[in-house]
Amino acid sequence: MNIIILGPQGCGKGTQARLLAEKLGLYYHEMGAFLRDLAKKNKIVADYINNGILVPDDIFFQAMKEILQEKTSSGQGMILDGFPRTVRQYEMLQNLFDEIGNKINKVILLNISDKEVVRRLSARRTCVSCGAVYNLATSPKPVTAEKCDKCGGKLIQRDDDYPETIAKRLSEYKENTLPVIDLARKQGILLEIDGEKSIEDIQTELLSWIN
Ligand code: AMP
């Protein structure tokens, strides 16, 4: 089973994807984290991310391809979060899967309003030491806004979680990802869910649809 999870930034797709991966034994690929990791060694990638601009496909697709090939040959299903994000990436993924005898089974869309995107992202904090992610507006909330509950590390706001960059990322999402959603809808593999419901309700809805 291969699932793509889409939605505007802050819609909770990471939380839902992790829960699904755990329950269904899927490999979880978080594109943003994968690229932020790459950015540590590659300043060009870091500049794209910090400005809320999509990293060009040719910079990362080969590395991504190797992961997808390896998972396919091991027979493990996957849940892809943050990739594909453009029609071109969706087609690249479909072509690769065609080549290696795999396919996209389902596409999940978690919808939240623009206002909720801004509220959630402005309240997001990340631990500099262990990478744990918290949200001061929703759960999981840290005990204090300064320190990580897991390791005591300092909590910071990501460079791309400030209002101007949030607005840029939101319009990037509308321009590039909404057409991917239309495509999946036409293919009859799209499930749309209200991302403003509770984490538990969304997870129950997702599991019953998948099963
Ligand atoms: P995210 O954590 O999903 O909000 O992603 C953070 C940043 O990583 C984005 O603003 C882009 O710069 C980059 N990024 C994430 N996913 C992709 C993708 N599929 N293609 C290109 N760039 C991406």
Side-chain angles (χ1 to χ4, degrees):
M1 160 86 58
N2 299 311
I3 301 172
I4 294 170
I5 188 159
L6 301 172
Q9 293 79 4
C11 67
K13 55 189 185 328
T15 304
Q16 296 298 336
R18 270 186 212 98
L19 290 169
L20 279 184
E22 219 171 89
K23 287 185 188 136
L24 304 174
L26 302 174
Y27 161 68
Y28 170 49
H29 184 85
E30 188 195 354
M31 195 62 185
F34 172 76
L35 289 174
R36 276 190 292 280
D37 209 36
L38 201 61
K40 289 180 194 155
K41 297 167 271 173
N42 186 330
K43 191 179 168 322
I44 298 174
V45 174
D47 286 344
Y48 279 110
I49 294 178
N50 292 337
N51 286 300
I53 301 169
L54 288 185
V55 178
D57 299 336
D58 56 338
I59 295 186
F60 63 80
F61 194 65
Q62 184 55 35
M64 183 82 202
K65 199 171 160 179
E66 283 164 21
I67 298 174
L68 300 179
Q69 276 168 329
E70 188 219 305
K71 296 297 161 195
T72 299
S73 56
S74 74
Q76 189 183 16
M78 51 193 115
I79 181 154
L80 305 178
D81 166 7
F83 181 89
R85 237 161 131 142
T86 62
V87 169
R88 182 167 186 263
Q89 290 182 356
Y90 191 76
E91 288 171 352
M92 281 162 85
L93 180 66
Q94 273 183 324
N95 291 340
L96 173 68
F97 273 177
D98 282 348
E99 255 174 57
I100 60 179
N102 207 344
K103 68 173 194 165
I104 301 164
N105 301 96
K106 293 182 189 295
V107 178
I108 295 165
L109 167 63
L110 280 186
N111 254 327
I112 60 172
S113 67
D114 291 3
K115 202 172 149 205
E116 185 64 7
V117 169
V118 176
R119 187 181 82 92
R120 291 187 186 185
L121 292 196
S122 313
R124 185 156 72 176
R125 298 292 181 272
T126 309
C127 172
V128 279
S129 307
C130 72
V133 180
Y134 298 91
N135 199 296
L136 307 181
T138 60
S139 61
K141 256 188 202 159
V143 173
T144 74
E146 288 84 34
K147 280 195 176 165
C148 175
D149 294 347
K150 296 183 180 108
C151 74
K154 189 173 172 229
L155 296 183
I156 55 152
Q157 192 163 4
R158 266 168 50 176
D159 285 345
D160 57 350
D161 278 348
Y162 286 92
E164 201 183 300
T165 319
I166 294 173
K168 220 196 266 179
R169 290 162 70 204
L170 201 47
S171 59
E172 178 280 305
Y173 168 77
K174 289 182 183 170
E175 188 187 329
N176 292 306
T177 311
L178 293 187
V180 177
I181 292 162
D182 285 340
L183 203 55
R185 188 180 290 115
K186 281 190 198 122
Q187 293 173 337
I189 54 171
L190 181 76
L191 172 70
E192 283 185 65
I193 292 200
D194 174 3
E196 296 189 23
K197 287 191 198 160
S198 74
I199 292 175
E200 295 74 22
D201 285 355
I202 295 174
Q203 187 63 196
T204 307
E205 209 174 315
L206 287 179
L207 282 170
S208 75
W209 180 64
I210 288 165
N211 291 330

